Amino acid sequence: MAEAHQASSLLSSLSSDGTEVELSSPVWQEIYLSGLRSWKRHLWRVWNDILTGVVPASPLSWLFLFSAIQLAWFLQLDPSLGLMEKIKELLPDWGGQHYQLQGLLAAALFASGLWGALIFTLHVALRLLLSHHGWLLEPHGTMSSPTKTWHWSESSPGGTQGCSASNVRSRGSQCRQHRSPYARWACPGGGAVPDEQRDPDARLCMQYLESVRPVLGDDAFDRAAALASDFLRLQAPRLQLYLRLKSWCASNYVSDWWEEFVYLRSRGSLMVNSTYYMMDFLYVTPTPLQAARAGNAVHALLLYRHLLNQQEIPPTLLMGMRPLCSAQFERIFNTTRVPGVEKDYLRHLQDSRHVAVFHRGRFFRVGTHSSNGLLSPRALEQQFQEILDDPSPACPLEEHLAALTAAPRSMWAQVRELVKTHAATALEAVEGAAFFVSLDSEPAGLTREDPAASLDVYAHALLAGRGHDRWFDKSFSLIVFSNGKLGLSVEHSWADCPVSGHMWEFTLATECFQLGYAADGHCKGQPDPALPQPQRLQWDLPEQIHPSISLALRGAKTLSDNIDCHVFPFSYFGKSFIKCCHVSSDSFIQLVLQLAHFRDRGQFCLTYESAMSRLFLEGRTETVRSCTREACHFVRAMEDKEKTDQQCLALFRVAVDKHQALLKAAMSGQGIDRHLFALYVMSRFLHVQSPFLTQVQSQQWPLSTSQIPVQQMHLFDVHNYPDYVSSGGGFGPASDHGYGISYIFMGESTITFHVSSKKSSPKTDSHRLGQHIEDALLDVASLFQAGQHLKCRFRGPGENLGYRRGSLSSKTVDPKVPTTSTNF
């Protein structure tokens, strides 16, 4: 998502004087601190697991083992083979009357030792089991003997898949999503540089040179190759040695540095640069009542938090069998990014029983719990309605105060000290909230009158707002529009999109299908007349911060006005048609984007596609460089009138295979970008000048792409309620002259695209690229229909069959009419 922009600004985040001073600390100290941070997190999680019964054996199992030993002892059997007798000899002699107590203590000590040994054995076995990634790299339809053995172990009742499938339902403790032992400290490879990357040899540099060959001229490529050769000969061995030492100490050799240097040290504005958005249902609004929608949504979000705290959310499984690391879920709620002069830090609270609400320039504190527990949706709606009905105006300096969170971080850090001095209570109410809620005064969403423009305005409102109506420091903000539409604005540093997407899917499904609404559109239940009113926050701010607020507001509006958003649902075909083509849906879209971008700009460019690396402990993302030589050959063939459809189709399949190989390599720890990033940071600590690494990190990403995965299809009934599917989300462009593109497969027949660019660039136009994407989709689909007998066929604009390359004219998607439903 927005990480491509942050990654491309890495050099600027390491150029300030303050940062240089901190990086001058000894590398041994940094390695020690990295390990210390990792072990602190590890010990806290282990302690929490013991308290909650996830270790990965429940404490009840210890009691069962102790009882079995006592029973055997009562039957005059010695399961310890004489070891308990030796333990009793080592215990103090308390006299004959305490002989039985000595026996119990010896049995308890033996049971504890045996229980610990079994847990350790299970822990090691799980790590070895989860360390196998060969299944991911094997060709589709084939399975080697080691993979068959691994799959049998995974599917067995004692394996991770059996645990995930049965134990969660039966006892709900072993394989839970949040802080799951299988998904966290049993994940392999997080603390070590992957085997294939232990030496930055020719393979690493050759893969980098291969990725940039399509976008570099001969002279530039020769210079890059010479720099890579010098790097391998001069700097690489020393840097790799220190990086390997770090991997032995830390849980993950790259993720802590990625969070710090890519996100927390960035001094630019969070708005657009480090935020992304997620939309509501595209065609359906369950209720037009703003307060009611807010009440149900907030209640659903807090239900999700409760399930996380109770560790009752099943683990996310890759391909239905491999659990992913869930460490990022720990900071969804109660988290704020606090600004600093040199770098920010993430402040996470264990609990928060209120949300901060913004409406018409005013801030409120809304309690979410009573003495009986979580407030009902109707009670929350009642409080939100009181805020909407409150006629009081905003106080001086209060209305645009939140624009400071969109200011450069160093500026906001300095002004925040003044705000904290004069309005500490109000600031703590906002930063200590579970999350931020913005009740917007304008409607949003798809409209019948102007469907295309309305979606663009909707996306822009979620991504940037008006610059002063979002608290961008919060982990996420829930935006509720006046017509009942919802959306999320998410800050990127604490976690990646699949984590917030998992929460958002649960929220939309729960608030519509489980909580529901009454016939009049209100939340179900009755108002509570004894419920306390929302607390209006008072900001007693000095006039001296007024210039800072005005400056921040001007900067936020300039940045907001410069963003061009375009959202369009492509409904001529979707995932079902791509499945009939027997190709990966993600690879299909990536090649379409290469074709569309080439038609838009007339050239190829470095392309950033985000791939998850959560197969590893505390893993986050890796980069797939989608602009490959194979993709370029396909694109040029599509633009060559002399090439036949069969020739283009053959090149397309070769490019798909290459993309799939890169994607699998990235997911299995064989990508290159995070490794090169870690080497670069290590070179800065060691004061080693590496022109090659500097060149790698200074590259721009004119095309930044990401697929928003649908992770919980079981929550939505796409057959009976096809319109109740999320329309995904988007993010800003990674470079001034580039595009940001995200896409989501809505059900089986629609793909929604979110395209962004900067209006200040004469080279980009989001709507123009969107048209090229539609044309490219139909052109590529026509290759399959022209050359194969497909059981499923796509519906083109005006006719049922595909189109010859270059024959498409401008077209407009006829969207479904948005409906309003108040009861299910």
Side-chain angles (χ1 to χ4, degrees):
M1 300 293 283
E3 67 186 34
H5 182 279
Q6 296 298 99
S8 63
S9 63
L10 174 64
L11 287 181
S12 61
S13 70
L14 288 172
S15 61
S16 64
D17 294 337
T19 304
E20 290 287 354
V21 170
E22 185 157 343
L23 289 188
S24 65
S25 59
V27 66
W28 292 103
Q29 179 180 345
E30 174 60 26
I31 293 175
Y32 162 76
L33 292 176
S34 180
L36 183 63
R37 291 191 297 266
S38 296
W39 278 102
K40 281 184 177 179
R41 289 193 300 268
H42 179 75
L43 292 176
W44 178 84
R45 289 165 179 166
V46 169
W47 174 246
N48 183 72
D49 291 341
I50 292 175
L51 294 178
T52 55
V54 184
V55 282
S58 168
L60 290 177
S61 62
W62 177 91
L63 183 61
F64 174 80
L65 182 62
F66 175 75
S67 302
I69 292 174
Q70 285 295 103
L71 178 61
W73 191 262
F74 177 77
L75 297 175
Q76 296 183 349
L77 299 175
D78 186 6
S80 68
L81 302 178
L83 185 59
M84 284 195 296
E85 289 293 339
K86 294 185 178 298
I87 294 176
K88 284 197 293 185
E89 293 176 0
L90 297 176
L91 294 176
D93 187 6
W94 295 325
Q97 66 273 22
H98 298 293
Y99 180 80
Q100 189 175 7
L101 180 60
Q102 280 184 315
L104 289 173
L105 184 57
L109 292 174
F110 173 74
S112 299
L114 181 59
W115 186 68
L118 292 174
I119 289 177
F120 179 77
T121 302
L122 177 60
H123 174 72
V124 173
L126 285 172
R127 290 186 70 93
L128 293 175
L129 180 63
L130 297 176
S131 295
H132 178 66
H133 295 146
W135 60 277
L136 190 62
L137 303 176
E138 291 179 353
H140 181 71
T142 63
M143 187 178 294
S144 63
S145 297
T147 300
K148 289 180 180 179
T149 304
W150 172 83
H151 186 265
W152 176 83
S153 301
E154 281 272 308
S155 305
S156 64
T160 60
Q161 186 181 4
C163 179
S164 301
S166 60
N167 292 3
V168 169
R169 289 193 294 267
S170 61
R171 65 173 180 265
S173 64
Q174 287 281 68
C175 290
R176 290 169 179 170
Q177 173 73 305
H178 184 57
R179 311 184 189 121
S180 160
Y182 298 100
R184 193 192 60 252
W185 45 265
C187 286
V193 182
D195 290 341
E196 295 81 1
Q197 296 180 359
R198 290 194 174 178
D199 296 312
D201 53 9
R203 186 199 62 81
L204 182 65
C205 290
M206 283 179 62
Q207 285 186 346
Y208 169 76
L209 293 174
E210 180 185 3
S211 71
V212 299
R213 188 65 185 94
V215 300
L216 293 181
D218 293 339
D219 293 340
F221 180 78
D222 290 341
R223 288 194 296 270
L227 291 177
S229 178
D230 292 341
F231 167 73
L232 288 173
R233 181 170 50 89
L234 299 175
Q235 298 100 20
R238 183 185 178 198
L239 296 178
Q240 186 68 7
L241 173 63
Y242 281 100
L243 188 59
R244 192 182 304 177
L245 291 175
K246 180 180 185 291
S247 73
W248 292 342
C249 298
S251 299
N252 190 292
Y253 82 101
V254 65
S255 289
D256 57 340
W257 280 355
W258 183 255
E259 180 180 293
E260 178 180 351
F261 292 103
V262 171
Y263 292 111
L264 300 182
R265 285 184 182 269
S266 177
R267 300 293 82 200
S269 171
L270 298 186
M271 188 178 76
V272 178
N273 299 324
S274 186
T275 58
Y276 58 91
Y277 66 87
M278 308 199 78
M279 280 187 171
D280 194 3
F281 300 121
L282 187 59
Y283 301 120
V284 175
T285 304
T287 177
L289 302 182
Q290 184 178 16
R293 195 80 197 278
N296 258 9
V298 170
H299 187 85
L301 285 166
L302 294 174
L303 284 178
Y304 187 85
R305 185 181 69 169
H306 176 75
L307 293 176
L308 285 179
N309 293 337
Q310 296 299 314
Q311 305 189 26
E312 294 178 356
I313 293 182
T316 300
L317 302 178
L318 179 64
M319 301 180 68
M321 56 184 176
R322 174 63 164 82
L324 303 179
C325 179
S326 300
Q328 296 180 54
F329 283 79
E330 295 174 351
R331 298 185 295 188
I332 294 181
F333 298 93
N334 324 325
T335 300
T336 299
R337 177 170 169 173
V338 180
V341 176
E342 296 180 2
K343 69 174 183 178
D344 299 350
Y345 71 92
L346 293 174
R347 179 193 178 203
H348 173 70
L349 303 178
Q350 292 303 309
D351 192 24
S352 177
R353 291 178 169 257
H354 74 278
V355 294
V357 181
F358 180 89
H359 177 246
R360 289 198 300 109
R362 305 161 303 166
F363 292 83
F364 296 84
R365 183 189 186 277
V366 174
T368 57
H369 291 71
S370 66
S371 57
N372 297 324
L374 178 62
L375 292 179
S376 67
R378 191 67 178 88
L380 291 170
E381 176 192 352
Q382 180 181 337
Q383 295 198 81
F384 290 128
Q385 190 62 51
E386 289 181 2
I387 293 175
L388 295 173
D389 296 338
D390 188 343
S392 61
C395 297
L397 306 179
E398 180 186 18
E399 182 177 4
H400 300 144
L401 176 65
L404 290 170
T405 64
R409 303 305 289 171
S410 298
M411 170 187 169
W412 169 217
Q414 295 172 355
V415 179
R416 181 179 174 277
E417 293 301 317
L418 283 175
V419 176
K420 187 176 181 180
T421 301
H422 294 83
T425 302
L427 182 64
E428 176 60 25
V430 174
E431 293 185 342
F435 51 89
F436 193 77
V437 179
S438 180
L439 301 176
D440 278 21
S441 301
E442 301 294 330
L446 185 67
T447 62
R448 182 197 301 266
E449 296 75 19
D450 195 349
S454 62
L455 285 179
D456 299 346
V457 173
Y458 183 22
H460 189 276
L462 291 175
L463 182 61
R466 292 180 292 173
H468 64 87
D469 51 357
R470 314 279 186 261
W471 198 270
F472 292 103
D473 288 356
K474 291 300 295 181
S475 56
F476 70 90
S477 297
L478 174 69
I479 296 103
V480 189
F481 296 94
S482 61
N483 62 342
K485 271 296 177 184
L486 287 178
L488 279 188
S489 174
V490 188
E491 202 279 314
H492 208 319
S493 63
W494 59 274
D496 300 310
C497 176
V499 175
S500 54
H502 191 279
M503 172 194 70
W504 191 234
E505 290 173 5
F506 176 92
T507 301
L508 292 179
T510 301
E511 66 105 3
C512 284
F513 295 106
Q514 294 187 21
L515 300 177
Y517 296 89
D520 56 0
H522 290 281
C523 296
K524 295 180 180 179
Q526 298 298 323
D528 183 3
L531 192 68
Q533 293 186 348
Q535 177 186 351
R536 173 77 182 274
L537 300 181
Q538 302 298 324
W539 302 87
D540 186 15
L541 302 174
E543 281 295 327
Q544 65 188 91
I545 73 168
H546 182 266
S548 298
I549 295 178
S550 300
L551 181 62
L553 182 61
R554 286 197 300 269
K557 286 185 175 179
T558 300
L559 182 57
S560 174
D561 293 341
N562 194 29
I563 293 298
D564 182 23
C565 295
H566 180 44
V567 180
F568 62 96
F570 180 85
S571 56
Y572 300 133
F573 64 85
K575 180 176 285 189
S576 61
F577 174 83
I578 300 176
K579 288 179 180 178
C580 291
C581 300
H582 302 291
V583 296
S584 163
S585 56
D586 181 64
S587 298
F588 187 99
I589 299 300
Q590 285 295 323
L591 291 177
V592 164
L593 294 181
Q594 290 299 318
L595 177 59
H597 184 270
F598 184 81
R599 290 175 174 177
D600 181 76
R601 297 289 297 275
Q603 62 184 16
F604 298 104
C605 69
L606 282 178
T607 302
Y608 187 108
E609 181 189 2
S610 178
M612 67 91 184
S613 59
R614 288 167 57 202
L615 285 171
F616 297 92
L617 176 63
E618 296 184 5
R620 292 198 59 161
T621 60
E622 177 59 277
T623 304
V624 178
R625 295 172 172 245
S626 302
C627 185
T628 62
R629 286 181 297 179
E630 292 80 1
C632 295
H633 293 332
F634 162 72
V635 170
R636 293 192 185 279
M638 289 291 290
E639 297 301 281
D640 186 352
K641 300 297 183 180
E642 297 182 358
K643 296 291 185 181
T644 65
D645 288 342
Q646 288 301 319
Q647 289 175 318
C648 293
L649 186 59
L651 292 173
F652 179 85
R653 292 195 178 279
V654 172
V656 164
D657 292 340
K658 178 62 176 181
H659 179 266
Q660 279 292 290
L662 291 177
L663 179 61
K664 292 177 180 179
M667 294 172 59
S668 60
Q670 299 180 32
I672 63 173
D673 281 274
R674 297 303 176 267
H675 190 194
L676 290 171
F677 159 79
L679 289 171
Y680 174 73
V681 175
M682 186 63 74
S683 72
R684 296 300 298 266
F685 274 107
L686 292 172
H687 302 285
V688 173
Q689 297 298 322
S690 174
F692 170 71
L693 292 177
T694 302
Q695 174 181 288
V696 172
Q697 298 305 323
S698 62
Q699 64 194 2
Q700 295 294 312
W701 301 98
L703 190 58
S704 175
T705 69
S706 179
Q707 178 186 175
I708 298 180
V710 180
Q711 305 169 74
Q712 303 171 90
M713 285 301 298
H714 63 279
L715 296 179
F716 304 93
D717 187 353
V718 295
H719 298 289
N720 296 323
Y721 301 99
D723 293 338
Y724 288 86
V725 287
S726 173
S727 48
F731 52 93
S735 67
D736 292 337
H737 301 288
Y739 292 104
I741 305 175
S742 69
Y743 48 96
I744 183 173
F745 293 94
M746 297 173 56
E748 295 295 323
S749 59
T750 302
I751 313 169
T752 300
F753 290 87
H754 301 251
V755 184
S756 67
S757 61
K758 291 190 176 181
K759 297 177 181 178
S760 59
S761 173
K763 302 178 181 179
T764 57
D765 186 313
S766 297
H767 295 74
R768 184 183 68 212
L769 181 63
Q771 184 64 61
H772 285 308
I773 292 174
E774 290 194 55
D775 294 346
L777 282 165
L778 292 169
D779 279 355
V780 173
S782 69
L783 297 178
F784 289 89
Q785 291 205 156
Q788 300 184 25
H789 298 287
L790 298 179
K791 294 182 179 180
C792 56
R793 309 181 73 80
F794 69 87
R795 177 181 61 84
E799 52 183 314
N800 293 325
L801 297 180
Y803 289 76
R804 292 293 301 173
R805 288 171 279 129
S807 66
L808 296 178
S809 59
S810 178
K811 53 194 171 297
T812 301
V813 176
D814 183 19
K816 300 177 183 178
V817 177
T819 59
T820 298
S821 176
T822 58
N823 199 4
F824 288 79

